[in-house]
Amino acid sequence: MRYYFTLLIFICLEFCVQPAWGQTSEEQYSSDSLFQHLVFFDEFDNEGHPDPNKWHHQILPPKDGSWFNDELQHYTDRLINSSVTNGKLTICALKEDYEVEGSKKSYTSARLNAKFAFTYGKVEVRAKLPKNAGTWPAIWTLGANVNERGNYFGDQFGDVGWAKCGEIDILEQTGWDKEHTLSHFHWDDLITKAYHEEGSTHTLSTSDDGFHVFSMEWANDRIRTFVDGNLVYELENSDNKPFNHHHYLILNLAIGGNLGGKVPSSFSQADFVIDYVRIYQ
C-alpha cells in the first residue's frame, strides 16, 4: 500500500506541479537538456509601461551626474523612452534636453534591470537593433553584488565595484559598425585582483532589417554566447572568476560614448525593439 501511495505522489509531482512563471511545455528550450525550466520571462503582451513586477528603471546617474563610458544620455522611466505595444518592448533614444540632479544632457533613453537574480542558466532575447550611427544597444548582465548607484538590488547581495562583480555582454553593437555585433566578458580575478577582458565579434549585416536571437548559456565550467544559434565566444569559467554568483539582466540603449562614438547632427530618434526575454535553468 505504501508503494502505491508513494507512486501516486511521484506521478502528481511529475505532471501536476506548475512550472515557474507560467511556463508551458511548448516554451521549454529543447535543444539543450541542461536548461529546460523557464524561470523568468516577458513576452511583452501588456500595453504601456514595462511590467513593474519584472523591470526596474535605473535612472540615477552614478558618475558625477553622468553614466560611465562617456555616454551622452540620461536614462528615464518615462513612457516616451520605454513602452510596450503590439507585443514588443521599444527602448527609444531621443535627442532632447533633459536634466537630472543639475546635470544636463542632450539625449534621453532607458535602462531596464530585470527584477530577477540568478546563477547559471540560459538567456534568450529576440531583438531588433537600431541602425542609427551613434547608438550603442546592449543586452548584458552584472553581478548582483555590484555597488552601482540606483541598480535594483542595491547591496542585497554585496557591495563590490566593477569589474569584481563580473560583466557578461551577451550583445553590444558599436555606433559606427552596424554590420557586426560584439560579445565580451569583463572581470577582476578574485585571487590576483587583475582586470581581464575577453570576447569576439559576429558578422550580422542584416541586424537592423529584422529580429535576431541573442543568447547566453552559463554553466559552472563555461559561458557561451550566440547570435541566432551561432557561437560567438566561449569563456572557461572557474572559481577565480566572478561568474559563480547571482547576476541580473540589463537592457539599454546608450548614445555616444566609448562604443557609441560620434552622434550625427541629424540624429533625432532611435529604437531598440525587444520581442521577448526568456531565462531558463
Side-chain angles (χ1 to χ4, degrees):
M1 186 68 180
R2 180 179 298 176
Y3 169 79
Y4 291 107
F5 182 72
T6 303
L7 181 62
L8 180 61
I9 292 176
F10 173 80
I11 293 172
C12 184
L13 288 174
E14 184 70 15
F15 295 102
C16 299
V17 173
Q18 293 297 317
W21 288 87
Q23 174 192 7
T24 68
S25 59
E26 289 77 18
E27 292 169 327
Q28 290 182 357
Y29 180 70
S30 59
S31 63
D32 191 339
S33 60
L34 184 62
F35 307 113
Q36 292 188 351
H37 304 290
L38 188 63
V39 293
F40 176 90
F41 71 90
D42 201 336
E43 303 292 335
F44 303 110
D45 50 8
N46 61 304
E47 294 286 325
H49 288 282
D51 187 343
N53 294 312
K54 297 181 179 181
W55 301 103
H56 164 75
H57 285 86
Q58 192 173 354
I59 62 176
L60 298 176
K63 184 184 178 184
D64 302 322
S66 299
W67 290 87
F68 298 109
N69 307 305
D70 299 321
E71 298 170 25
L72 302 178
Q73 81 292 320
H74 275 310
Y75 292 122
T76 87
D77 57 3
R78 302 178 305 166
L79 192 62
I80 197 172
N81 290 122
S82 59
S83 61
V84 177
T85 185
N86 296 326
K88 307 287 191 297
L89 165 67
T90 299
I91 297 178
C92 178
L94 297 170
K95 184 175 183 179
E96 60 173 338
D97 293 333
Y98 195 83
E99 182 175 333
V100 176
E101 298 179 338
S103 171
K104 297 180 180 180
K105 301 291 181 182
S106 298
Y107 305 91
T108 60
S109 187
R111 172 172 169 143
L112 277 64
N113 298 182
K115 294 183 176 181
F116 181 75
F118 66 105
T119 303
Y120 310 136
K122 179 180 177 68
V123 176
E124 282 187 349
V125 179
R126 185 172 186 264
K128 180 179 179 180
L129 308 181
K131 62 183 179 180
N132 314 64
T135 59
W136 176 2
I139 302 167
W140 53 302
T141 76
L142 280 177
N145 58 350
V146 66
N147 61 0
E148 189 172 82
R149 183 181 186 225
N151 80 85
Y152 175 67
F153 292 102
D155 60 1
Q156 178 180 346
F157 294 101
D159 188 15
V160 305
W162 187 93
K164 189 177 180 180
C165 64
E167 175 179 326
I168 303 172
D169 298 322
I170 302 170
L171 169 282
E172 293 183 291
Q173 189 175 61
T174 70
W176 58 87
D177 181 0
K178 296 304 183 182
E179 294 188 352
H180 295 84
T181 60
L182 309 174
S183 179
H184 278 250
F185 300 81
H186 304 265
W187 75 95
D188 284 348
D189 189 291
L190 300 179
I191 298 174
T192 67
K193 314 302 182 186
Y195 169 73
H196 295 272
E197 183 268 339
E198 292 184 23
S200 187
T201 63
H202 179 77
T203 300
L204 193 67
S205 59
T206 60
S207 62
D208 65 292
D209 295 328
F211 287 88
H212 297 270
V213 177
F214 305 98
S215 60
M216 178 262 287
E217 294 178 353
W218 171 23
N220 64 341
D221 61 343
R222 64 177 182 169
I223 310 173
R224 301 190 300 171
T225 56
F226 303 84
V227 176
D228 294 330
N230 300 300
L231 179 67
V232 180
Y233 198 77
E234 180 172 338
L235 178 76
E236 180 183 351
N237 199 9
S238 55
D239 291 340
N240 66 316
K241 296 183 177 76
F243 301 121
N244 295 296
H245 62 248
H246 277 351
H247 276 232
Y248 64 95
L249 184 68
I250 303 169
L251 308 173
N252 74 284
L253 175 58
I255 299 297
N258 295 355
L259 291 186
K262 184 177 180 181
V263 184
S265 59
S266 60
F267 178 91
S268 60
Q269 177 178 332
D271 293 337
F272 180 23
V273 184
I274 296 94
D275 182 29
Y276 62 73
V277 173
R278 298 170 183 167
I279 300 177
Y280 301 83
Q281 287 186 316

